[in-house]
Amino acid sequence: DMTGQDEQLKVFIVEDEAVIAMDIGSMVLDAGHQVIGEADTYASACSDPALAEADVVLLDVQLADGSSGVDVYHSLKNKVGSIQVFLTANMNMIPAAVADKTAKMSKPIPRVSFEKALHFLADCLKRPPPASPAPDELIVGSALAERIK
């Protein structure tokens, strides 16, 4: 089913491994959404004006130059207008206070799980409240759950 223009998510990807970033980008596009920017370090993410336009920010925790996706989260101007999702194999590297306000998915992410998660996020942001609960693979922090219900 094609996503209407107004229901398309604008997605920004912060990931330092090119192959993974490409894979995530293609999954976003296949699900009918837009990739509006990509970055592989804290500096490149924060200097990209597209970051502030994103509906969904997908964040790897450990970035190329030793910087952190957690720092990118802290720098976001528009935390409340967007949803931030950490995609990581190291869930425990996300501080509890940040995990509470964001969502996370464990890498590697199966395509079908990722598409379900994007569909849920589109419901949260574009057609609230979400019609169905978050898929199991998307772990939603309690403060975020409160904000999107």
Side-chain angles (χ1 to χ4, degrees), residues 4-103:
Q5 200 73 47
D6 54 339
E7 293 183 352
Q8 274 191 339
L9 294 172
K10 294 192 186 87
V11 179
F12 194 100
I13 299 168
V14 184
E15 164 64 65
D16 67 325
E17 289 187 48
V19 175
I20 296 177
M22 229 157 58
D23 195 38
I24 292 169
S26 77
M27 290 194 289
V28 170
L29 297 174
D30 288 348
H33 302 290
Q34 288 175 284
V35 176
I36 61 163
E38 286 186 30
D40 60 356
T41 61
Y42 171 83
S44 60
C46 295
S47 62
D48 190 332
L51 186 62
E53 306 292 312
D55 298 312
V56 173
V57 183
L58 302 175
L59 296 155
D60 184 21
V61 176
Q62 294 172 291
L63 301 173
D65 55 358
S67 62
S68 163
V70 175
D71 294 332
V72 177
Y73 167 78
H74 285 304
S75 78
L76 287 173
K77 304 282 180 277
N78 185 22
K79 285 193 186 70
V80 175
S82 63
I83 294 177
Q84 305 82 38
V85 184
F86 285 96
L87 308 179
T88 181
N90 307 298
M91 292 284 194
N92 56 349
M93 292 182 63
I94 306 164
V98 173
D100 192 44
K101 300 185 184 77
T102 58

Side-chain angles (χ1 to χ4, degrees), residues 73 79-80 82-84 95-104 120 124 139-149:
Y73 167 78
K79 285 193 186 70
V80 175
S82 63
I83 294 177
Q84 305 82 38
V98 173
D100 192 44
K101 300 185 184 77
T102 58
K104 55 191 176 185
F120 173 77
C124 293
I139 301 162
V140 178
S142 55
L144 175 59
E146 203 49 43
R147 169 156 79 87
I148 60 184
K149 68 177 189 192

